[in-house]
Structures are given as C-alpha cells and as structure tokens.
C-alpha cells in the first residue's frame, strides 16, 4: 500500500488529502499538523474549516484510509510521498524582501524535519505556493542532510478556491506536476501522476519542469486578480459616466477570447493568496532586474486598495460626510461566500475605515466567529496569514464593534448597511422589514452587487452599488 503524508492540515492539506483518500482507496493518507486543536477538530464532528461537501468526504474515509495526527515525524518517516502544504506568508519581519517576499520559515523547518526523520527514499511534493526556484533550496536542504537517503522533489501547486474546494478537486481544470528532467525525476512524476490518474483524465494532468510549475501557480493567481482589478477599475469609470458595470462586464464576457468568469465588480478581492502571490511575483521580478514588469503587477494590488478605500469613503461621504456614532450594519465579513476564512478580507479595510471615522459597527456573518472578527480588526497587516497558534496575538476588544447572529438584529436602528460578502441568504432578506426598523434616511452600500437596486429604492432606501448609476 502506498503511503502518503501531508504536512499542514488546513484549507489545502485537509480537503486535498481527503479527496485523494476518497478516490484512491488503495492509498493510506495521513494529514499531520503541529496544531493540536486543529487536528482534534479534524478528528471531531466540527471540522476546523467550513467548506461545502467536505464533511461528507471526510466521513467516508476517516479511520479507513484517512488519518489526522499530530505525530508528524512518525507519519513522515513511514510515507512514500510527503506533501508539504504549510503556510508561505509574506515576510513581515525586517530584512531582505520584507513586505513582499514569501516567508519560507515554515517550509524550511518542514524540509529539515523530513531530512532528519526519514529512513527510506521519498518523493517530497511542494504543494504550498512558493517563489520560483524554491525547490532548488529545498533540494539543497534535503540532500545536504539526507544521510544517504534519496529525495525527489516535485512541484504540484494547488488551484482550488475556497468555498468550491471539493468540486474543484473532484473536477480540476488541470493538475500540474513539475519535476527534474532526469530518469529519477521522471519516475517520481509518474508516481504522482498515478495517484491523480485514479480520477483525473490524463489530458488534464500536465507535466513541466520544476520552475515552470512554480511560476505557473503565481501566474494564474496574478491573471485572476488582474481580471478583478480590471473590472473594478471599470466600475469607477462606470460610476463617473453613468454606465452600468454589470452591463459592461456582460458585454465584455461575451467575447469568447475573454470569457465570463472573474468579471464581477466588487468591494475588492480578499484572501491572502492573491495579494501575497502577486507581491511575491513583484519581488522576483525586482530581484531579476525586471522593474517594469514588477511595476505592472503592482498596479493590480494598488487598484484593489483603491477599490476598498473608495467604498469606505463612499459610505462616509454619502452619509453627510460623517458616520461618527452612527450605527452601520456590516453584512458579511468572510472574503467570499461559503467560507469562514477572513484572511485579508476587504471587510477588514472597510470596517477599519469606518471605525476610523468613529462609526458603531454591528457585524453579522453566518460563518465567522466574534473572536475572529475582533482579532482581525486589531491585527496588523500581514499578520493574517500567520496561524495564530504559531504567532499568538492578543486581541484587544474593539469597543465600537458588536457581532450578532442575525441580519435583522444587525440592521435594527442602523443608519446604513454595507454588504461585504455575497452570501446567498442576503439576497433573500426581507428588506421592507429591515427598512422599517432602520433610522432614516436608510442607506444600503452593496459591495457585491447582489441586491435589486430598483426594488430597494422603491422601498425607500438610498442605494449605492459598485459601478452602477446612482
Ligand atoms: P494555512 O496557512 O491555513 O495553514 C498552514 C498549516 O500548516 C497550519 O495549520 C500550520 O499549523 C501548519 N504547519 C506549519 N508549519 C508546520 C510544520 N513544520 N509541521 C506541521 N504543520 C505545520 O494554509 P493553507 O491556506 O492551506 O495554505 C497552504 C499553502 O497552500 C500556502 O502556500 C497557500 O498559498 C497555498 N494555497 C492555498 C489555497 C487556499 O485556498 N487556502 C489554495 C491554493 C494554494
Ligand atoms: C484563489 C484562486 O481562485 C484559486 O485558483 C487559488 O488556488 C487560490 O486563490 C489560492 O492560490 O489560494 P480563493 O482566493 O479561495 O481562490 O477564491 P476566489 O474565488 O479566487 O476569490 C478571491 C477573491 O476575489 C474573493 O474575495 C472574491 O470575492 C473576489 N472576486 C472573485 C471578485 O471580487 N470578483 C470575481 O469576479 C471573482
């Protein structure tokens, strides 16, 4: 029986390994993490992450060929294939590349541990998103500490999106495997291909050299984020000209060379990956002297910052230039629907902007806890991607913020509503009831373009939607 071990039991490690276990009953999969609470949660009924469809997959395999454990060394030692899916956040501490380069501390310590405990040859798979040429560094660490054991390193970046992870893993656009172009490298690539071939059609399993695989991952995220910044830049122009961004992006999407996906204007993209991976790309370009290329990709992030600021400023300016002591309901805090993840969610920037103007916030998100919200609003930028158990942060309560478990409670007596996550349940709210219980004039600022503007205006709301005529 082939044994797989995955280091890092989070949004990537957990769902990816659960799907491998489900699709490959002949493979034994162990997912390990240094976080005891996280592993306990994986072994309980309340999984540590909210991801539609994940519970059912885990339930089918857990205890059969899928195991979650904190005994990292044992499972690494026993594995034939070791996936490394630890966090690779933006480097925060001072020094070379701080604020842009990827922090490979967690990766390096995992590699050193693999070299230390291994007693048999292994394939080590880079699952985390890393800068180009990271495998070269990892190879050095492993071979210089190997005690005669042979390691083959592969790059196998993950393309799942949160909220749709299970369907993305069941039916991936492609699986990308990069390896050394040597007989041993090819053998290792084939071994990993054989795992995915249990359910992924062969023509969707792409093999490349190591550097192409690493760079392709950064390129995909940069292209996706660039589309959002492009449509968000258009949304500002729409507001200035009376065009409607939904109509413009629909017309654009009908061009078969462009296509319909990732053209929804929004309050800005969230999740650490887009920002961190582009910053990483910018840093690599700068290191290679490609300053114009670096400058080009930086603009994608600048437009995202601009969009979040623009939204917060719009709220304040619309409400007679002050939100001081006004109650603002925040509907949605996660960075997108169907996840409880709040890392770099635009809600943090918008809320901080409103708090800066002394607003009182009442926040409701169906999947985000009060503790998480309080922590996010007191954290420094870039701390979001460092797991809390590795980087303890003591939250100081933000007094102007209350968190509630119901949209009607959040909006009661509020002067304005900001919709910051596109949760389906927000589309079906009884807005007449909400209007009746609000201060007047009652404002709605829709950061996700999910409400029916005409209907809300008929009720009496003053409505601002991204990129739509006022
Ligand atoms: P995460 O940051 O949420 O968690 C990483 C986990 O690794 C933590 O639970 C941490 O305790 C564990 N860990 C760190 N060092 C360890 C060690 N030495 N031994 C054992 N466990 C250790 O991770 P994530 O969101 O799953 O992302 C992992 C990687 O995958 C990142 O590089 C990310 O860029 C990339 N990625 C993420 C997504 C996503 O949707 N989250 C999608 C594609 C790629
Ligand atoms: C993204 C990529 O889609 C994945 O392929 C990739 O694996 C992952 O990053 C990663 O490397 O971590 P994710 O961040 O989970 O996945 O979710 P997305 O669906 O890409 O959404 C990212 C952000 O963009 C969200 O805040 C979302 O609301 C926003 N978005 C998305 C828009 O504002 N408009 C759109 O049209 C699409």
């Amino acid at each position: 029986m082939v044994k797989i071990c995955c280091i890092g039991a989070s949004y990537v490690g957990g769902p990816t390994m659960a799907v491998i276990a489900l699709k490959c009953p002949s493979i034994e999969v162990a997912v390990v993490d240094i976080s005891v609470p996280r592993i306990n949660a994986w072994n309980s009924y309340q999984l540590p992450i909210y991801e539609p469809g994940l519970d059912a997959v885990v339930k089918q395999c857990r205890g059969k060929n899928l195991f979650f454990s904190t005994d990292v060394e044992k499972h690494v030692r026993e594995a034939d294939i070791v996936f490394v899916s630890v966090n690779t956040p933006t480097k925060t501490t001072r020094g070379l590349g701080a604020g842009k380069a990827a922090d490979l501390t967690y990766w390096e310590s995992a590699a050193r541990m693999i070299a230390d405990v291994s007693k048999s040859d292994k394939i080590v798979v880079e699952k985390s998103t890393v800068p180009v040429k990271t495998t070269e560094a990892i190879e050095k660490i492993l071979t210089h500490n190997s005690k005669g054991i042979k390691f083959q390193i592969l790059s196998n970046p993950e393309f799942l999106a949160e909220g749709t992870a299970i369907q993305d893993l069941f039916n991936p656009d492609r699986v990308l495997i990069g390896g050394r172009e040597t007989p041993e490298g090819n053998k290792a690539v084939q071994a990993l291909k054989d795992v995915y071939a249990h359910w992924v059609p062969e023509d969707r399993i792409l093999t490349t050299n190591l550097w192409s695989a690493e760079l392709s991952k950064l390129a995909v995220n940069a292209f996706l984020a660039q589309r959002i910044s492009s449509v968000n830049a258009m949304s500002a122009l729409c507001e200035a000209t009376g065009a409607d961004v939904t109509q413009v992006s629909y017309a654009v999407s009908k061009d078969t060379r462009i296509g319909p996906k990732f053209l929804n204007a929004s309050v800005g993209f969230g999740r650490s990956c887009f920002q961190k991976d582009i910053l990483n790309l910018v840093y690599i370009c700068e290191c290679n002297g490609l300053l114009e290329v670096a400058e080009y990709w930086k603009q994608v992030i600048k437009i995202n910052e601009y969009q979040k600021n623009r939204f917060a400023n719009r709220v304040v300016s619309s409400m007679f230039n002050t939100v001081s002591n006004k109650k603002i309901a925040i509907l949605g805090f996660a960075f997108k629907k169907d996840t409880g993840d709040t890392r770099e969610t635009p809600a943090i920037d918008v809320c901080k902007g409103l708090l800066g103007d002394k607003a009182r916030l009442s926040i409701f998100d169906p999947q985000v806890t009060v503790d998480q919200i309080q922590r996010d609003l007191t954290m420094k930028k870039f701390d979001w991607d460092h797991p809390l158990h590795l980087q303890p942060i003591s939250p100081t309560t933000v007094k102007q913020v209350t968190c509630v478990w119901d949209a009607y409670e959040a909006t009661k007596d509020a002067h304005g509503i900001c919709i910051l996550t596109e949760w389906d349940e927000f589309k079906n709210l009884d807005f007449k009831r909400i209007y009746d219980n609000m201060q007047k004039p009652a404002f709605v600022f829709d950061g996700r373009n999910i409400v029916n503007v005409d209907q809300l205006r008929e009720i009496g709301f003053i409505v601002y939607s991204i990129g739509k005529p006022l």
Side-chain angles (χ1 to χ4, degrees), residues 10-12 33 38 87-88 129 162 271 276 343 389:
S10 194
Y11 291 92
V12 169
D33 203 292
R38 183 160 284 184
N87 36 317
T88 51
T129 305
E162 289 177 28
R271 252 292 278 145
K276 103 175 153 57
R343 288 177 286 182
H389 57 274

Side-chain angles (χ1 to χ4, degrees), residues 319-366:
M319 297 176 78
F320 320 113
N321 260 344
T322 178
V323 286
S324 178
N325 212 28
K326 290 179 184 164
K327 178 176 171 179
I328 312 283
I330 304 292
L331 299 189
F333 198 82
F335 82 100
K336 65 187 279 199
K337 72 170 181 176
D338 292 337
T339 180
D341 198 348
T342 59
R343 288 177 286 182
E344 289 191 26
T345 171
I348 294 176
D349 297 76
V350 172
C351 288
K352 282 189 172 175
L354 299 177
L355 288 170
D357 211 75
K358 299 199 177 71
R360 287 180 294 120
L361 305 183
S362 182
I363 305 178
F364 166 61
D365 186 289

